[in-house]
Amino acid sequence: MTRHGPEKRRRLDPSSTAGVVFNDRSTADVILRLFIEPSSFDSPTTITAASDSDVQIYLHSHVLQRSKYFSALLSDRWQPPPGLKTGKNPNPKPLKLNLGVPPTPGSLQSHLSVLQLLYCSDISNSIDSASNALDLLPVALELLFEDCVKSCVQFLEAVPWTEDEEKRVLGLIPSLKEEESKELLDRVSPGQTDLCEEMLHGLVLSAIHNYPNMAIVKAFVAKLLRDLSSRDAAKRVLESAFETSLKVVKESLEEYSSPDFRGDHNETEAIQRLNLHKAMTNGRHLLWLVERMIELRVADSAVKEWSDQAAFTADFQRAFRDDAWRNIVPGLPVVVLRCTTKLANAVAAGNILATRQV
């Protein structure tokens, strides 16, 4: 596929695009500005340089309808001028839209390529490598361009991957539908136990840390863990994540209950609030992990670890002797107690084997 800027035009099948051409200023009824979204860590110089990378392209509303993102956007904002149907206004004023792209290498070019593929009737023939498909797929998912998503997934299913490409595939799997991701997951060799566990661990961390719509991703990862043939692998991955989250909760409460008052009062208060929020966030992660471990009957080590937390219990009690936490993280005690209750109920029901001492 041609990987050039927007000035490069591709003529397409008139039956699917009514003879229009990508980036044709003379017939476009939509002007789209692509711009690099500045990161919060960018300096003013970097932001200025990013603004110089803005690209303006000329598009057609009926072609953009192939993307559900643009279809929804245009349905609210686009009303064809009355003169357009009668021929009295053959060149109506185009609608102007903005679309920000992440400040990552190649992101702007990938967005341009996907927008160009909206004009292509045979997307599969425009994808020429696994790397190319992996560049296009995140943008197609973002714009809800289903035809492009399907073509990228089918291409990836049919070609070999390098090690780096496999990691990129695994990173995109949580964003795909179950039927789209199944074949890609099957590509992970059963003999590569370490890689499989590394992949699972990455998915678990993504589910509890990275995604804004975590409920959907958590549901996907939970189903993936249930369907995994190796229960031992699931146990090792969940135990590792459990230990990491528990460590963060313990350290956060320890720092909150024994603060360092040598600094500025406002700074100390801000750090205390941060410690409580960190404990609350990771407490929620712990609860989700505990639920998954109980569901898979692999919580034996977790219940033993949870029952052997004398120092954590003392820090927890000290932290809640004052009322400051009530206005910051009122739900934290409930989260911790729910972890305890779920583990205790699982032991009582015989779903977890534990010694009498535990």
Side-chain angles (χ1 to χ4, degrees), residues 91-317:
N91 295 304
K93 187 176 181 181
L95 176 67
K96 293 185 178 181
L97 301 174
N98 295 313
L99 180 64
V101 304
T104 52
S107 179
L108 186 61
Q109 180 58 55
S110 296
H111 278 73
L112 286 170
S113 297
V114 170
L115 289 169
Q116 193 168 359
L117 286 175
L118 287 166
Y119 288 74
C120 184
S121 57
D122 188 359
I123 298 174
S124 299
N125 287 337
S126 300
I127 304 173
D128 56 15
S129 68
S131 178
N132 182 200
L134 288 166
D135 288 339
L136 300 175
L137 184 53
V139 183
L141 287 166
E142 173 194 349
L143 299 182
L144 303 176
F145 184 8
E146 298 294 346
D147 290 341
C148 187
V149 171
K150 182 178 179 181
S151 295
C152 289
V153 170
Q154 288 177 342
F155 188 92
L156 290 170
E157 289 172 355
V159 298
W161 310 328
T162 65
E163 224 175 281
D164 289 338
E165 288 167 350
E166 183 165 313
K167 290 179 181 178
R168 292 178 67 188
V169 169
L170 295 174
L172 288 168
I173 281 176
S175 302
L176 295 171
K177 298 175 184 174
E178 182 182 347
E179 60 270 20
E180 292 170 338
S181 63
K182 186 177 185 303
E183 292 294 329
L184 298 179
L185 280 172
D186 289 345
R187 287 280 300 275
V188 179
S189 171
Q192 295 177 312
T193 306
D194 292 342
L195 180 60
C196 179
E197 290 187 22
E198 182 182 339
M199 179 266 301
L200 278 172
H201 190 257
L203 290 175
V204 168
L205 293 182
S206 295
I208 62 179
H209 286 293
N210 299 336
Y211 286 88
N213 191 355
M214 291 194 298
I216 296 175
V217 182
K218 281 183 175 179
F220 171 83
V221 175
K223 185 179 187 308
L224 187 63
L225 289 166
R226 285 195 301 271
D227 295 342
L228 190 67
S229 58
S230 173
R231 192 54 53 91
D232 288 339
K235 177 178 173 141
R236 285 191 291 269
V237 167
L238 288 169
E239 283 180 350
S240 175
F242 174 84
E243 289 170 5
T244 301
S245 294
L246 178 58
K247 181 181 178 184
V248 174
V249 174
K250 288 165 61 177
E251 290 176 348
S252 300
L253 282 178
E254 182 180 0
E255 291 176 14
Y256 178 82
S257 60
S258 304
D260 183 354
F261 292 105
R262 289 176 294 181
D264 177 76
H265 172 73
N266 291 333
E267 182 180 346
T268 301
E269 184 178 349
I271 293 174
Q272 291 293 79
R273 293 175 69 90
L274 179 62
N275 284 329
L276 283 179
H277 280 296
K278 194 187 297 184
M280 182 66 185
T281 300
N282 283 273
R284 289 198 185 104
H285 300 340
L286 269 179
L287 179 58
W288 184 80
L289 292 166
V290 165
E291 289 172 344
R292 299 290 72 73
M293 296 168 92
I294 293 173
E295 179 184 29
L296 299 177
R297 296 176 178 262
V298 293
D300 312 39
S301 299
V303 75
K304 185 176 185 303
E305 180 79 12
W306 192 258
S307 67
D308 189 24
Q309 298 295 333
F312 174 42
T313 303
D315 289 332
F316 189 75
Q317 291 172 335

